Amino acid sequence: MNEEQKERFFDLLTTKAVYGLDEEAQRELDEFDKDIVDREFRSLEMTAASISQIGVDANEQMPPHLYAKIAQEAEKHVVIRAQAAAPWPPPHSKAEFEKETGGNPWFAWLGWAVAAAACIALAVNIFLIRPSGPEIAQVQPTPIVSPKPQTPAEMREEMLRTDAEMVRANWAPGNVKEIKEITGDVVWSDEKQAGYMRFRGLPANDPKKETYQLWIFDKTQDKATPIDGGTFDVPADGEVVIPIDARLRAQAPEMFAITIEKPGGVVVSSREKIAALAKVETRSS
């Protein structure tokens, strides 16, 4: 085996140990002596196994098949270490050595230098491609923080800051004698078809017995059938802000009314219990 062949031999062995060989490269390796290939490849496998364990958590158990293989090969490598102290070359007679090397010790040393270089290349490749357990374990995904949803009061304030054209009206008591201290207002955007009601003094209701319902009286709508603005409940006394849920497009609201209806609301209100009224007097622009 000449210098070029030896270099190619160990190059193929290293590639097989790290990446594996394709069919063409495997056929090229098969042309070398099978016993030599098997012996040298086992040595590279042991090197790979040792290097791959560097930096691995001591608590991580070795795969059973790899443990069994290393244990099986351990005795052979102990014998090789013992033979290493014997005069060079251990496995050859003088005649065989001279026949293989042509009587040139430098040529024999070159073969072992190539083997050493192959092992170093193998070590570098394994170190670069093997996963680093501790570093990966320490990497934590960046949590996705969802923005905190705005409350109706915050959305109302934003509308007041950003919308130039709005309808505004102030609440006044309706025909329910028990509700006389109601205050607050309505803000509405024709462009966005959205708005908010703010109340203080509107009593909390029992949703099992009754609900509040908004009606929007629009210039384009028959007064007998105002636009349904949605139902809502008041959980506790105090100031509350309720989004308007108009079922039809309100183009020019003139007045807003709050009635007390049965749970779920009604299609047409009898208007027997009007809790509050808000008449539009001005439009901001």
Side-chain angles (χ1 to χ4, degrees), residues 249-266:
R249 184 176 181 83
Q251 299 178 356
E254 294 181 307
M255 186 173 65
F256 300 87
I258 301 296
T259 61
I260 300 175
E261 308 292 351
K262 64 182 181 179
V266 295

Side-chain angles (χ1 to χ4, degrees), residues 49 52-53 56-57 59-71:
S52 66
Q53 292 301 309
V56 176
D57 188 348
N59 294 323
E60 182 180 350
Q61 293 190 5
M62 186 181 297
H65 71 279
L66 181 57
Y67 179 85
K69 186 167 187 177
I70 292 176

Side-chain angles (χ1 to χ4, degrees), residues 53-109:
Q53 292 301 309
I54 296 174
V56 176
D57 188 348
N59 294 323
E60 182 180 350
Q61 293 190 5
M62 186 181 297
H65 71 279
L66 181 57
Y67 179 85
K69 186 167 187 177
I70 292 176
Q72 181 181 3
E73 296 291 331
E75 183 177 352
K76 297 179 183 179
H77 283 266
V78 170
V79 173
I80 291 173
R81 277 180 170 270
Q83 291 176 344
W88 171 260
H92 299 77
S93 66
K94 181 178 180 180
E96 291 173 336
F97 173 69
E98 292 180 349
K99 179 180 180 181
E100 182 175 344
T101 64
N104 187 347
W106 169 251
F107 183 75
W109 166 248

